[in-house]
Amino acid sequence: MTREAFDRELKALNERILRLGNVVEEDILKAAMALKERDLRTSREMIAADEWVNNQRIEIMMASFTLIATQQPAGPDMRALAATIEIAGELERIHDYVKGLGKISLKLAEIPLPAALADLIPQMAAIAGVMLQQALDAFAANDATLARAIPVQDNDVDELYRQISYELTTTVTQDSGAYENANLIQWAVHNLERSADRVINICEWVVYKAVGKYVEMDSEYEAPATAVTP
Amino acid sequence: MTINHNGSAAGLAVEAKNMNVYYGSFRAVKDISLKIERNSITALIGPSGCGKSTVLRSFNRMNDLVPSARVEGEILFQGNNIYAENVDPVEVRRRIGMVFQKPNPFPKSIYENVAWGARINGFKGNMDELVEQSLHHAALWDEVKDKLDQSGLSLSGGQQQRLCIARTIAVKPEIILMDEPASALDPIATLRIEDLIRELKKEYTILIVTHNMQQAARASDYTAFFNMDSDRAGYLVEFSETDEIFTNPKHELTEQYITGRFG
């Protein structure tokens, strides 16, 4: 007994998640760089790209629902579909943050970022992007051990967030006129910080898909020393 | 054995211990150990030839009716081995009833179908009450209350199967064994039987053999997955809560079976 047609559909869904994830990962960094460099054209592109991401998410969900309704998935198949639906949702939300970065960039218009922060924002985006890339690798390889090793990197994102928030507070203290822009930048880094948190949610679903256990993780999460097998 | 009809008290309803069943020299199932909780529904699933029906039939000595059959090991029912020498198999089958694949009402009235078992068991109480109560429990009363004198054979397949269930529960068993009780029924009648099984577990312990994996997933609390070994003997691969079996099976063979990638 084999399920070739079903297996093909599952594989296609996997590939769609990876494709969507790659776009989202690239856009995080693009949006942050555009914010740094006042590249309004790219910022507009990031806003426009959100519609495609939303549509992808809905199509992936609907295709998953159809498989659930018609194929009676059980065990690892059911877990794969549950993870697919959830991860598509997380990716869509991360891209909402990307879109937010684009909007903030347009609002800040020609005003340059404070020099002290200019590099820290893309740095945050780069770490979140790497975390996402690793989460997608773990998803593709069905590798719970890899997924469990990713959340700890969120500490670096949080540290940058604190650093930038501190700088912004200092800026506003010295120049109350900078308040509005500082507030926008605070939102931008909040978006990046949340993006990394959502990557951790993706990791939780990768673990569930691989070993059938849902484990809540955060930056404090300590991956087990030994590989966890189903 | 003393009659002790158990309600919802926790504990074991029946337990197979190191059971082997032979047909002549052929070992059909081997080393089955299985604990069945009271007021639970346990589905026995597995590919054809895995021995699940043989296991089911061992729970009420139905295999005794096959001349070459021999059971080794123990089936403990309230602490007593039902295969012990002093045990009357007829009494075992009254307390551990069975519903078969194909509805098999007698060519008698609906009323007589239900009353029959109680009557031959020497029931002395109010027969009308017993018939009504049994038909209620089998979720058939409303459909037949105005035609109790009509033949059981005049009913639809799904109704006939519920009539057989009413007949089974009329003798007040503690455990009901069901051998693919819905496989001859259409999907709607099947779902009615599944709903009924859920209702029945309040008062009875139910073991059900099914080829329909989705039925096991829908209708049972526990699932036992059997497979046929290289010596062609059936064995128990995995026994767990149904939720667990269908979301996170521990054994690779179970996983292959429930995902439809077996063999």
Side-chain angles (χ1 to χ4, degrees), chain B residues 110-120 123 127 130-131 167 170:
Chain B
I110 292 167
Y111 185 100
E112 279 307 314
N113 261 282
V114 181
W116 174 82
R119 195 164 279 150
I120 63 162
F123 179 73
M127 190 59 87
L130 179 72
V131 169
R167 186 177 68 192

Side-chain angles (χ1 to χ4, degrees), chain B residues 80-152:
Chain B
N80 302 306
N81 181 12
I82 63 168
Y83 286 93
E85 269 182 24
N86 59 340
V87 173
D88 173 9
V90 175
E91 171 68 358
V92 169
R93 288 177 208 133
R94 191 195 65 67
R95 298 180 61 183
I96 306 177
M98 184 170 264
V99 175
F100 297 88
Q101 181 173 5
K102 206 164 165 286
N104 54 352
F106 305 126
K108 293 173 181 290
S109 71
I110 292 167
Y111 185 100
E112 279 307 314
N113 261 282
V114 181
W116 174 82
R119 195 164 279 150
I120 63 162
N121 275 296
F123 179 73
K124 298 280 195 299
N126 183 330
M127 190 59 87
D128 289 356
E129 246 173 44
L130 179 72
V131 169
E132 178 174 344
Q133 188 189 40
S134 303
L135 286 167
H136 264 302
H137 280 170
L140 188 60
W141 174 251
D142 288 342
E143 290 160 66
V144 301
K145 61 178 185 233
D146 299 323
K147 50 178 181 183
L148 292 174
D149 56 344
Q150 286 184 21
S151 167

Side-chain angles (χ1 to χ4, degrees), chain A residues 1 3 7 75-77 79 211, chain B residues 246-248 259-262:
Chain A
M1 197 165 24
R3 303 194 71 179
D7 285 341
D77 296 334
R79 302 203 306 263
V211 301
Chain B
F246 282 89
T247 59
N248 195 15
T259 61
R261 294 183 179 80
F262 192 80

Side-chain angles (χ1 to χ4, degrees), chain A residues 63-135:
Chain A
S64 302
F65 294 157
T66 302
L67 287 182
I68 290 169
T70 57
Q71 298 288 333
Q72 290 82 46
D77 296 334
M78 184 281 303
R79 302 203 306 263
L81 286 168
T84 295
I85 292 165
E86 290 291 337
I87 291 171
E90 295 293 345
L91 291 171
E92 189 268 329
R93 292 307 302 275
I94 292 174
H95 206 276
D96 285 344
Y97 294 130
V98 168
K99 181 182 175 183
L101 290 178
K103 284 182 163 178
I104 290 164
S105 173
L106 295 186
K107 278 190 180 156
L108 286 170
E110 305 297 327
I111 304 160
L113 286 184
L117 307 182
D119 288 326
L120 296 183
I121 289 174
Q123 215 174 310
M124 261 183 102
I127 299 170
V130 167
M131 287 172 69
L132 178 52
Q133 192 52 58
Q134 290 173 352

Side-chain angles (χ1 to χ4, degrees), chain B residues 172-192:
Chain B
K172 309 255 182 240
E174 280 129 89
I175 299 173
I176 304 175
L177 310 175
M178 298 186 170
D179 195 354
E180 297 193 49
S183 64
L185 307 181
D186 68 51
I188 304 294
T190 297
L191 292 175
R192 287 209 66 168

Side-chain angles (χ1 to χ4, degrees), chain B residues 18-263:
Chain B
N18 307 316
M19 184 177 71
N20 293 277
V21 182
Y22 294 83
Y23 294 119
S25 61
F26 170 62
R27 183 158 69 158
V29 297
K30 62 180 180 186
D31 305 330
I32 307 288
S33 290
L34 197 55
K35 290 180 177 177
I36 305 297
E37 259 182 46
R38 215 170 268 163
N39 297 97
S40 68
I41 303 168
T42 302
L44 313 184
I45 63 170
S48 298
C50 72
K52 56 191 185 293
S53 285
T54 298
V55 169
L56 187 79
R57 296 160 67 87
S58 303
F59 277 106
N60 75 344
R61 295 192 55 167
M62 212 58 125
N63 289 325
D64 291 13
L65 307 175
V66 181
S68 66
R70 180 165 58 87
V71 176
E72 274 178 3
E74 294 182 325
I75 299 264
L76 297 175
F77 176 55
Q78 293 173 358
N80 302 306
N81 181 12
I82 63 168
Y83 286 93
E85 269 182 24
N86 59 340
V87 173
D88 173 9
V90 175
E91 171 68 358
V92 169
R93 288 177 208 133
R94 191 195 65 67
R95 298 180 61 183
I96 306 177
M98 184 170 264
V99 175
F100 297 88
Q101 181 173 5
K102 206 164 165 286
N104 54 352
F106 305 126
K108 293 173 181 290
S109 71
I110 292 167
Y111 185 100
E112 279 307 314
N113 261 282
V114 181
W116 174 82
R119 195 164 279 150
I120 63 162
N121 275 296
F123 179 73
K124 298 280 195 299
N126 183 330
M127 190 59 87
D128 289 356
E129 246 173 44
L130 179 72
V131 169
E132 178 174 344
Q133 188 189 40
S134 303
L135 286 167
H136 264 302
H137 280 170
L140 188 60
W141 174 251
D142 288 342
E143 290 160 66
V144 301
K145 61 178 185 233
D146 299 323
K147 50 178 181 183
L148 292 174
D149 56 344
Q150 286 184 21
S151 167
L153 298 171
S154 67
L155 299 173
S156 72
Q159 289 172 327
Q160 287 188 15
Q161 193 60 304
R162 279 179 280 141
L163 179 61
C164 293
I165 291 171
R167 186 177 68 192
T168 303
I169 60 189
V171 298
K172 309 255 182 240
E174 280 129 89
I175 299 173
I176 304 175
L177 310 175
M178 298 186 170
D179 195 354
E180 297 193 49
S183 64
L185 307 181
D186 68 51
I188 304 294
T190 297
L191 292 175
R192 287 209 66 168
I193 295 285
E194 289 175 12
D195 280 347
L196 172 58
I197 291 170
R198 281 256 165 242
E199 275 301 307
L200 290 173
K201 84 159 189 168
K202 291 175 188 159
E203 297 193 40
Y204 309 96
T205 302
I206 295 161
L207 280 89
I208 172 170
V209 161
T210 176
H211 262 119
N212 180 338
M213 247 182 309
Q214 295 313 314
Q215 179 165 78
R218 283 192 300 263
S220 70
D221 303 314
Y222 296 91
T223 296
F225 170 62
F226 295 86
N227 188 31
M228 186 166 62
D229 214 346
S230 49
D231 60 1
R232 302 188 59 80
Y235 68 104
L236 180 63
V237 177
E238 187 168 347
F239 175 64
S240 189
E241 288 181 27
T242 296
D243 294 356
E244 193 69 9
I245 291 275
F246 282 89
T247 59
N248 195 15
K250 293 287 167 283
H251 200 289
E252 201 183 334
L253 286 170
T254 317
E255 179 176 307
Q256 287 171 3
Y257 190 73
I258 58 123
T259 61
R261 294 183 179 80
F262 192 80

